Amino acid sequence: MFDKILIANRGEIAVRVARSARALGCRVVAVYSDADAHAAHVAAADEAVHIGGNAPAESYLRGERIIEAALETGAQAIHPGYGFLSENPDFVRAVEAAGLIFIGPSAEAIDAMGLKDAAKALMEEAGVPVVPGYHGENQDPEHLSGAADAIGYPVLIKAVAGGGGKGMRLVETPGDFMDALASAQSEARTAFGNAAVLIEKFVEKPRHIEVQVFGDGTRAVHLFERDCSLQRRHQKVIEEAPAPGMTEEMRSAMGRAAVRAAEAIGYKGAGTVEFIVDGSHGLRTDGFWFMEMNTRLQVEHPVTEAITGVDLVEWQLRVAAGEPLPARQEDLRITGHAFEARLYAEDVPKGFLPATGVLSHLQFPPQARADSGVRAGDAISPFYDPMIAKLITHGATREIALKRMAQALRETQVAGTVTNLAFLGALCGHEEFSGGDVDTGLIGRDLDRLIAADAPAPRVVAQAAMAALGLMAAPDWARGFALWTPAPRHVALAQGETEEQVAVIVEGPDAVRIRVDEAEIMAEWRDGWYLDGRPAAPWAEAGGQVTVFDGYGQGYRVIDPLERAAAAGAGAGVIEAPMPGLVKAIFAEAGQAVQAGDRLAVLEAMKMEHALLAARDGVVAEVMVEAGAQVEAGAALIRLEENEEAAA
C-alpha cells in the first residue's frame, strides 16, 4: 500500500478519496486554487499545495504543476477523482513518465474509450450491442443531416468527446436539425475543444442503466447496475441501485457485456459502462445498447457501495498498489436498495440556474450518508460545479430506501443560497418514480408540476418575522414588562419577487401575535416557541437573511426601507447577468426591435451555455457589454425601451 498519495481534485470527491486513503493509513496531499485555500478538501488532507488561480485552466487542469506538487511532497501516486484530468490520457502518460503511479486505467484504455465513435466500433468487435447511428469522420452538416434521415427521427446529436450532457441535442424533426447541430457543435467546442459529433437513434422510452466494473488490467468483475434514468437536460439528478424491474437474466446479460467491454481494453481500476435501455416493454436482453464507458470513478458510485458493502476507493488504491482484484464475481452480492440525490446550489424557478453564496448554515440528517465538499461558512464559487452534497440512503427494500431519502431531504438544512431541495423532494413523491416506472423523459414531461411551489404557510412567515426582530430567543423576564406593549412592529420580508408586510405585536413575555396578510398567528412560549400550537421549526439568521427550515427551507431577505426606496423603479427594462460568467455571444444591437422570448445573448457559466431572452417586446436602447467579457451576477448587459408603436 502507498505511504502517501496526492489527490488531483477538489470538492466532495477529494474529501471522499481522502477519507478512504487515511483509513488505510495512507497520508494525503491536497492541491488547491486561490478560491479553495480554505476549502474542506484542504482541511481533510495531511498537507496541501497551492497550484494556481481560480479558473480550472489556471489550477486543476495544470497537469505539470500537479505532478510537480506530487514530487515535491514525496507522494507515490496520484488519484484524479472525477472530472478535470481524470480521463486525460496525456496526463496519465506524464504521471508515469515522472515515475509516479496513476490511480486509474492506462492511457491506452482511456484513449480507446475517449471518442464515442471509436469506442462503439471497438465494442462491436467485442460483441457488445451498440445503438444504431452514424459515427463517421465526415462532419459536413449536409452529410450529417442525411445520416439522421437514414437513421430515422427522432435522433440524438452527441459530442464525440466528453460527456455530462454537453454538446448533446435531441432533434425530433428534420427541420430542426441544422440549428440543433450548430448549437451542439458550439457547446462541444467550448467544453472539450472538439466540435465533432455523432448521430444516434433516439430510443422512445429510454432508460439509462450503467454497470460498475472493476479490473486489474487483465480480468474484470462487475458490481451490478445503477439506474440513472432520472435526468434533466441529460444531467443525472437521482440515481439508484439496483435498477427497478431488473431481472436476473437481464442483469447477467448486461454484466457480461460490461465485463467484455472492460477486458477488451485491459481495463484497470474502477469504471462504468453505460447502456441505453428500451423500457417500453419491460427490460429485455435484446433491448440494451452500449453508449459509452466512463474510465473513472462515477459521481454516483456511493449507491453501488451501499448495496455491495465495497469501498470502491479502497479497491482503487489497493489494485493501483499492485494487489490482485479484492473479490471474485461469485463473491459479490446485492443487499437492499440505495438512492443518491444530488443537492445543488441552483435557482429552480429560474430554470435551474447555478447559484452562488456563502453557506451561513449547513446541516445534514444523521440517518443519511452525506458526501460533501463544503461546510457552514464556505462559499459556493462561480468557478466550479455548484454541488453542495450527495445524499445517500439505503434500505432493505426500494420503498424503504426511498422513504428514507424523502425524510433526509426534508431534514437537510441549507442557508445562504437557493437549492434544489424542494425539487428533489417532489421527485421522491412522484407517483411514477416512486412506483419504479422511470425513464429519461420523466422530469421533462412533468417539470411544471415538479417545480411548482406552494406558498409558505403563514406560520412560517410569522416565524421569519419574529426571527428578524430578534424575538425567537427565550423571553427575558429580567427586562420587565416595559417592552410588552400592544403597539405593532412592522417588518418587510422578501422571498424571490414576493414581498410580505408583517405586523408583530408582543402581548406579553410568552405571547406574540403576528399578522400575515389576512391571517393572524399566535406564538406562545412553552419551553420553546409554538406557533398556532405547532413547535417552531429550526431556523438560522445571518447577514439580513432569515431561513426557516420548513418545507425544504424558506429563505427571506429582511428589507431595509431605505434600500427599497433606492431601488424603486430601477432596471425594469434591463437584461442582467443571472450569474457570474463569460458573455459568449450578443445577438442584439441598438435600435433593433425585439419581441418577448427573443434570444439576446448567451452567457457561459459553469461549463454550460445559458440563453438570455427578452422579457417583453421593445427596442434595444443600449448594448452595455461586448462578447468575450467576463461579468458578475447582476451586471447590466442590454437595456430595452418600449416600442413606440406598442406604447401608442
Side-chain angles (χ1 to χ4, degrees):
M1 179 49 61
F2 305 114
D3 296 317
K4 183 186 287 189
I5 68 165
L6 181 143
I7 303 171
N9 218 297
R10 66 174 302 280
E12 64 87 15
I13 187 57
V15 174
R16 189 263 169 278
V17 172
R19 183 171 65 245
S20 286
R22 289 172 61 84
L24 292 173
C26 182
R27 293 174 62 80
V28 171
V29 180
V31 293
Y32 64 91
S33 65
D34 290 345
D36 281 341
H38 304 289
H41 77 276
V42 173
D46 296 287
E47 54 189 303
V49 179
H50 176 252
I51 56 170
N54 295 330
E58 300 169 355
S59 50
Y60 299 106
L61 291 174
R62 291 181 63 195
E64 74 290 344
R65 179 67 188 104
I66 290 170
I67 292 170
E68 286 175 8
L71 294 173
E72 290 166 5
T73 56
Q76 300 155 297
I78 294 179
H79 194 300
Y82 53 71
F84 295 133
L85 295 169
S86 63
E87 294 181 281
N88 185 319
D90 292 335
F91 178 63
V92 178
R93 293 184 181 97
V95 169
E96 293 173 346
L100 301 169
I101 293 174
F102 181 77
I103 303 173
S106 66
E108 291 73 23
I110 297 174
D111 273 328
M113 290 298 183
L115 295 178
K116 294 184 178 67
D117 49 356
K120 291 188 176 183
L122 179 63
M123 290 301 97
E124 280 189 295
E125 291 179 16
V128 179
V130 299
V131 179
Y134 175 75
H135 311 126
E137 295 183 5
N138 190 336
Q139 294 291 302
D140 178 74
E142 290 295 338
H143 183 80
L144 293 173
S145 176
D149 291 337
I151 294 165
Y153 285 88
V155 298
L156 204 59
I157 301 172
K158 297 173 70 173
V160 166
K166 299 177 183 66
M168 184 182 294
R169 297 292 185 274
L170 170 62
V171 189
E172 299 190 81
T173 63
D176 296 331
F177 184 84
M178 288 302 189
D179 285 345
L181 175 64
S183 178
Q185 289 175 326
S186 173
E187 193 168 88
R189 186 180 296 108
T190 297
F192 314 119
N194 184 347
V197 298
L198 55 82
I199 315 295
E200 286 183 348
K201 175 68 178 173
F202 182 73
V203 180
E204 294 290 348
K205 189 178 180 182
R207 289 179 61 177
H208 181 143
I209 299 178
E210 59 190 31
V211 177
Q212 176 72 58
V213 294
F214 206 102
D216 63 4
T218 302
R219 66 185 186 90
V221 296
H222 70 84
L223 290 91
F224 313 109
E225 79 282 353
R226 297 184 288 257
D227 195 305
C228 306
S229 299
L230 213 57
Q231 302 179 7
R232 194 193 71 83
R233 292 179 59 186
H234 308 293
Q235 297 281 358
K236 300 168 187 176
V237 179
I238 296 179
E239 301 100 345
E240 63 181 295
M246 180 60 69
T247 65
E248 284 303 322
E249 183 184 20
M250 179 76 159
R251 176 173 293 127
S252 178
M254 293 185 76
R256 287 195 304 271
V259 168
R260 282 199 301 273
E263 292 182 346
I265 58 172
Y267 195 80
K268 184 176 183 179
T272 298
V273 181
E274 300 193 349
F275 295 98
I276 189 76
V277 179
D278 183 356
S280 58
H281 301 289
L283 299 182
R284 311 179 316 278
T285 56
D286 62 348
F288 71 93
W289 303 275
F290 173 87
M291 283 198 301
E292 61 184 347
M293 183 175 184
N294 289 304
T295 52
R296 53 170 167 79
L297 198 65
Q298 290 279 89
V299 177
E300 58 273 21
H301 75 272
V303 292
T304 295
E305 294 183 325
I307 65 165
T308 61
V310 168
D311 182 329
L312 287 169
V313 174
E314 177 188 327
W315 275 29
Q316 284 185 300
L317 295 170
R318 291 172 59 186
V319 169
E323 294 185 25
L325 279 175
R328 300 169 300 173
Q329 190 66 60
E330 55 267 30
D331 299 328
L332 297 167
R333 297 284 185 275
I334 294 175
T335 302
H337 205 98
F339 286 91
E340 175 183 289
R342 303 188 186 193
L343 173 59
Y344 279 98
E346 59 185 11
D347 195 330
V348 173
K350 291 185 178 179
F352 296 84
L353 286 179
T356 57
V358 175
L359 296 170
S360 56
H361 178 91
L362 182 64
Q363 183 174 313
F364 302 109
Q367 70 272 21
R369 170 178 167 179
D371 284 10
S372 179
V374 291
R375 305 150 298 181
D378 288 349
I380 301 295
S381 165
F383 301 105
Y384 313 115
D385 186 88
M387 179 183 283
I388 297 173
K390 302 181 309 194
L391 291 176
I392 303 100
T393 58
H394 180 259
T397 66
R398 186 177 189 273
E399 181 182 12
I400 293 170
L402 187 57
K403 285 182 180 295
R404 287 177 176 167
M405 176 58 73
Q407 180 184 32
L409 293 169
R410 287 193 299 269
E411 295 179 5
T412 294
Q413 300 176 9
V414 185
T417 184
V418 293
T419 75
N420 64 339
L421 265 173
F423 173 66
L424 295 172
L427 281 170
C428 288
H430 190 281
E431 61 276 6
E432 289 182 37
F433 179 57
S434 60
D437 184 12
V438 294
D439 66 83
T440 58
L442 185 150
I443 289 177
R445 290 194 301 272
D446 278 355
L447 184 60
D448 290 344
R449 179 158 64 104
L450 289 165
I451 65 175
D454 295 331
R459 61 179 173 76
V460 175
V461 183
Q463 182 177 336
M466 288 182 63
L469 294 173
L471 298 174
M472 286 301 296
D476 186 354
W477 295 82
R479 288 185 300 171
F481 286 81
L483 298 179
W484 301 330
T485 62
R489 299 164 69 184
H490 295 276
V491 61
L493 302 174
Q495 187 180 55
E497 305 299 320
T498 304
E499 270 192 32
E500 295 276 7
Q501 297 291 330
V502 185
V504 180
I505 304 166
V506 180
E507 297 188 332
D510 54 4
V512 179
R513 184 157 43 96
I514 307 105
R515 295 194 191 116
V516 180
D517 293 329
E518 302 300 317
E520 188 168 275
I521 296 92
M522 283 301 303
E524 301 173 289
W525 179 265
R526 316 175 196 162
D527 293 328
W529 285 106
Y530 283 69
L531 289 91
D532 279 354
R534 296 181 59 173
W539 62 281
E541 187 276 330
Q545 298 274 347
V546 174
T547 305
V548 179
F549 298 113
D550 182 286
Y552 303 103
Q554 301 292 333
Y556 297 90
R557 181 167 56 89
V558 183
I559 300 173
D560 183 327
L562 296 178
E563 176 190 335
R564 182 200 286 112
V574 176
I575 307 299
E576 297 180 343
M579 72 197 85
L582 175 74
V583 179
K584 189 72 180 296
I586 296 287
F587 303 109
E589 58 184 28
Q592 176 184 342
V594 298
Q595 295 182 322
D598 283 355
R599 187 167 67 152
L600 303 183
V602 173
L603 187 71
E604 181 182 299
M606 298 180 181
K607 301 181 183 178
M608 296 192 69
E609 293 185 357
H610 306 270
L612 305 182
L613 310 179
R616 59 172 172 80
D617 295 352
V619 174
V620 177
E622 184 180 7
V623 177
M624 294 173 278
V625 68
E626 295 181 351
Q630 188 76 33
V631 296
E632 295 297 319
L637 306 181
I638 297 168
R639 182 169 63 84
L640 299 181
E641 58 188 12
E642 284 195 31
N643 187 312
E644 292 182 3
E645 293 181 5

